[in-house]
Each structure stands twice: as C-alpha cells, then as structure tokens.
Amino acid sequence: MNGKARQFMKNVIGAVGANVVRLLISVVLTLLLPKLMGQEEYSYWQLYLFYTTYLAYSSLGWCEGFTLKYGGAHYEDLNKRLIGGQVWMLFAYEVLFFGGLWLVITVLGIESTKYVLLLLAGASAVFDIIRYMVQSILHTVNRIKEYVRVVLLERLLFALLAAVALALGFNSALALVAAEIAGRFLSMLYSFFITRDIVTARPAPLKEVAAEAKNEISIGHKLLLALLASQLVIGVIRFAIEQKWGVLQFGQISLIISLSNMLVSCVSAIGVVIFPMLKRMQPEQMERVYTPVRTLMSVLIWGCMLMFAPMKWVLTQWLPQYSEALTYLALLLPLCLYESRTAMLSTTYLKAYREEKNILKVNAAAVALSVAAAGVCVFLLENLTLAVLAISLLCMVKAYMTEYYVSRHVPFPFKRELALEAAMMALFMLSGWYAGYVAAFAIYGAGYVLYLLTERKFITAGLRTLKDEFREKKHG
C-alpha cells in the first residue's frame, strides 16, 4: 500500500472511529434521556435541537465558501493573516446576528418557554459556527486527525456535563441546553488552540478581509442554501407535526428521527475524508471509484437494517411510553440509506465538480414537495402515518435527483439501482409495519440475501476496482 493510500485509510479510520464514538454517545443519550426525563421536558429538548439546526445556517455560506475555495490546499500555503481575519469577522457578525434575533423574538412576543429556548439556541449557534469555521480550515487542508479531535471533544464534553447534571438530579431541558452550550464553547477554545498560528495572527487590513469574506460568501451561499433546503425536507414536516399535534407528538417523532439519523451521521463522516481527496484526484480516478463505493455502501447499510426487528423489540421494552411512536421506525429507517449516501457520496462528488447550483436545485425541489406533503398529510388528511412515510419517500426522491446529476459525470447503472433499491425499501417497510418481530426479520433477511445474489457481480467488481486503486504501483 502506497503512502497516499495509507494516509487515506488512516483518515477514514480516524473519522469513522471518532463518529463511532459519537454514535455510541448519541445512542446512550437517545436511550437514556427519554427514560430519565419527562415526555414534556424531552420534547422541549428536541425543540431546542430543532432551533439550533436552523440557526446554524445564519453564517450565510461563509464556511462553505472557504471549503470550496481552498479545498485541497496545503496548510503551510494558507494566508494566515487573511484567514485569521475571517474567523474574527465571522465572530463579530454572529454576535450581531444574535442581538438581532433577541430583538425580533422579543417584539414578536413568543411564548415564554420557546422564547428562552430560542435565545439559548442563538447563543449556542455563535460558538458552534465559529468552531465550524475552524473545523473547515482543518478539513480543507486535510488535517483530518485534528478535525476529528475537535468534533469528538464537543460531544464528549456534552456527554460528560449532561451526565453530571442528570446525576445531580437536574433532568430538565434547560440543564441539557447548558451542558451543550458549555461543550460547544470549550471545544471552540480547543479549536483555537490547534490553529493558534491563524487565530492569533495579526489580521490583514479590514478592506482585504471584507473583500475575501464577500468572495467566500458569494461562492458558498448556494451550497449553504442547498444544505438548508436539505434540512427543510424533513424539517417542514416536523414543524407541521408540532403545529398540528403539539410539542409532545413532536418529541415522539423527533426521537424516532434521532434513532434513524444515528447511522447517517456515522457514515457521513467518511465524506469529510473524501472531499479533499477528490479535489486532488484526476477526473478518470473519480469516475472509477464512484460505482464501487456506492455499491459497497448500499450493501453495508441494507445489511445494518437487519437489526430493525431486534432493535425495535429492545426499545419497546426499554421505553414502553414510546411504544406507539416506535412503530414508525419501519417507515423511517430507510432514510438511513438515502441520506447517508447523499451526504457522503453524491453531494461530495457534486461539490468536487463545483455543482453547488444543481445541489440547490435538487434540495429546493425537495422542499417544495415537502411543503406539499405537509399540507396534504398533516393539515388536509390529518394522518400522522402518511406524514412520517412522506419523510422517507422525500429522502429517496432527493437522493435520486442528486444522483441524476452525478450520472452526467460518472456513468453507472442508475435506473437498475433505482428499481432494485425501491423494491428493497418497499419490502422493508411492509414487513416491518405488518409482520411481527420474527416474521419481519425472516422476510427482510430473505430479501437481503436475494439482493446480495443480484448484486454479487457488482460487489466483486467493486472490491477489485478499489483494491487496484490502492495497490502500490511497482513502477510508480
């Protein structure tokens, strides 16, 4: 194995390893918090997380523009005075944004609990966005080890502080919010320490920093809007559920979405490693590795979904008060495949090809469909089951629209894979919804074996291609 291959594997192992730890933390918290908190407090905690998700997009695409502009660069080549100025200008902007948020929600007279949660979410977003900017610097120059440390530290600090709060009997949503804000602040300080030669450098002249900021925002705003739209695909329906059925039902559905998203966050970590690597690849190399990675990733995730029946049984025993909501896992788990593959592979490729405009088109179309689905399923038909089903279907549609644009650069059997995966999704949903635990496992397991037999040639070819890519050249 050559040096580049070894470094790539180290980065993958590091990124995935850190996200496995994050996943374990998420699993523990996702299973413990509903158990230790009342349903109302847990629902308010989920509402806070909902707010922080969207306030994180207040950065205007600044961080995304930096990543796109400097992707594949080397750390020693960066203009540290100019980039350090960017960090502090972004910090000043976010503080002003927080002040504006406070003014707006005060004038609107929002209900007291939501008012407090929104303010705290705004404060949390300030630290989160600044840390994310520093993470973007590390990501862009392929310093994955340091990037991973910052990501991991934030979750470990939150888990530790949350555990202390719960052990002391503070099981309210506000206690958890305080723990998360503290974790984000401390991890931001650690990211400053790692990049101290940048953040402590004397900033470049204000005019230069402002011009660079304008350029990065002009590059990154489309990608930011695309990412926001991607979140809104699910967020619109979640918001509609909260408006129609209240915060308690919102909390129950949010728990199921959290369970479904845990695998997504772990798999998506590989995309962090892939992006800077793709930016340094030749076009023909990018074409060769797409289909093998896509095939093997799909095989892995469909296999992980064999755990649905035993997982649902364990969760029902552990959280009997959420037993009704847990039935929706059968409808939501397929989004693991589509969201993971979109985040890790399809969108990463389109970013490397600088197709932010098409990423935005896809996500904007998906949001329009989400608004229509929310209107019909939630407010017209008042059917929660259809609303939840719509989330997975929308993720599937968004994934295939994204892959359509990838297929214009990278040839792969698009229509064949679409049909095969739609059949797997239908089998999983129908067996999980209508059959008992054992029957659901047996039916889906048989379907998965058939899927492996159908895909065996692609799996073998994919493994061979990846092996050839990373094999050390005798004369290289």
Side-chain angles (χ1 to χ4, degrees), residues 19 92 101 131 153 207 209 228 255 264 363 365 378 380 432 461:
N19 275 271
L101 174 69
R131 189 196 73 236
L153 179 64
K207 186 176 180 180
V209 175
L228 173 59
L255 170 63
V264 176
N363 289 327
V378 176
L380 181 62

Side-chain angles (χ1 to χ4, degrees), residues 119-157:
L119 274 184
L120 291 172
S124 179
V126 173
F127 304 133
D128 190 45
I129 289 169
I130 302 306
R131 189 196 73 236
Y132 181 65
M133 180 61 160
V134 179
Q135 285 178 204
S136 298
I137 297 170
L138 297 171
H139 176 203
T140 298
V141 298
N142 208 28
R143 288 178 59 174
I144 303 300
K145 185 186 294 185
E146 291 92 340
Y147 173 93
V148 164
R149 286 175 185 168
V150 175
V151 172
L152 189 55
L153 179 64
E154 189 269 332
R155 283 293 89 185
L156 287 172
L157 286 170

Side-chain angles (χ1 to χ4, degrees), residues 43-44 47 50-51 111 114 235-251 253-254 378-379 384:
S43 297
Y44 278 122
L47 191 60
F50 184 73
Y51 291 153
E111 184 263 321
K114 293 182 179 179
V236 165
I237 295 179
R238 288 180 68 193
F239 180 75
I241 289 171
E242 193 272 333
Q243 292 295 303
K244 181 66 179 177
W245 288 292
V247 71
L248 286 178
Q249 189 66 73
F250 171 87
I253 296 302
S254 294
V378 176
F379 297 108
L384 183 60

Side-chain angles (χ1 to χ4, degrees), residues 152-425:
L152 189 55
L153 179 64
E154 189 269 332
R155 283 293 89 185
L156 287 172
L157 286 170
F158 167 63
L160 177 62
L161 294 170
V164 171
L166 292 169
L168 293 175
F170 298 104
N171 59 352
S172 67
L174 290 179
L176 291 180
V177 171
E180 176 160 89
I181 291 175
R184 287 184 167 183
F185 175 71
L186 292 172
S187 63
M188 181 192 75
L189 293 182
Y190 178 67
S191 72
F192 282 3
F193 174 75
I194 290 177
T195 58
R196 55 193 178 277
D197 56 334
I198 288 180
V199 297
T200 61
R202 184 166 63 89
L206 182 61
K207 186 176 180 180
E208 289 183 29
V209 175
E212 177 70 8
K214 181 180 178 182
N215 180 249
E216 289 174 8
I217 291 170
S218 69
I219 293 171
H221 76 280
K222 289 179 183 177
L223 180 57
L224 181 83
L225 290 174
L227 295 171
L228 173 59
S230 179
Q231 289 286 347
L232 286 171
V233 173
I234 298 176
V236 165
I237 295 179
R238 288 180 68 193
F239 180 75
I241 289 171
E242 193 272 333
Q243 292 295 303
K244 181 66 179 177
W245 288 292
V247 71
L248 286 178
Q249 189 66 73
F250 171 87
Q252 293 202 353
I253 296 302
S254 294
L255 170 63
I256 308 307
I257 293 174
S258 296
L259 291 168
S260 302
N261 277 333
M262 286 189 296
L263 179 62
V264 176
S265 63
C266 185
V267 176
S268 300
I270 303 175
V272 171
V273 180
I274 288 179
F275 177 69
M277 182 190 72
L278 289 177
K279 291 289 285 185
R280 296 172 183 174
M281 269 189 178
Q282 297 299 317
E284 61 272 13
Q285 287 180 286
M286 293 175 66
E287 291 181 16
R288 282 198 298 270
V289 301
Y290 182 84
T291 301
V293 172
R294 184 192 186 281
T295 300
L296 296 174
M297 185 179 178
S298 300
V299 167
L300 174 64
I301 296 177
W302 284 125
C304 288
M305 289 169 65
L306 283 166
M307 295 302 297
F308 161 72
M311 180 176 72
K312 182 184 173 185
W313 182 84
V314 170
L315 289 173
T316 302
Q317 305 305 308
W318 178 251
L319 300 170
Q321 69 272 37
Y322 290 91
S323 58
E324 183 179 349
L326 288 169
T327 60
Y328 293 110
L329 269 175
L331 304 182
L332 277 177
L333 269 184
L335 72 80
C336 291
L337 172 74
Y338 298 110
E339 288 294 276
S340 296
R341 201 169 61 207
T342 300
M344 174 196 140
L345 200 59
S346 308
T347 301
T348 303
Y349 261 71
L350 290 181
K351 282 163 61 180
Y353 287 123
R354 293 302 309 272
E355 294 233 20
E356 305 91 65
K357 186 175 181 180
N358 286 329
I359 298 174
L360 177 57
K361 281 182 182 179
V362 168
N363 289 327
V367 170
L369 291 173
S370 181
V371 171
V376 173
C377 300
V378 176
F379 297 108
L380 181 62
L381 300 178
E382 300 183 349
N383 191 312
L384 183 60
T385 301
L386 285 180
V388 174
L389 175 62
I391 292 174
S392 282
L393 294 177
L394 286 165
C395 290
M396 180 184 74
V397 170
K398 184 185 72 172
Y400 287 135
M401 286 193 294
T402 306
E403 289 196 315
Y404 166 74
Y405 285 107
V406 175
S407 69
R408 302 200 304 188
H409 297 278
V410 181
F412 71 97
F414 178 73
K415 293 181 180 179
R416 176 187 179 278
E417 293 300 309
L418 187 153
L420 184 59
E421 290 171 358
M424 285 293 292
M425 180 178 178

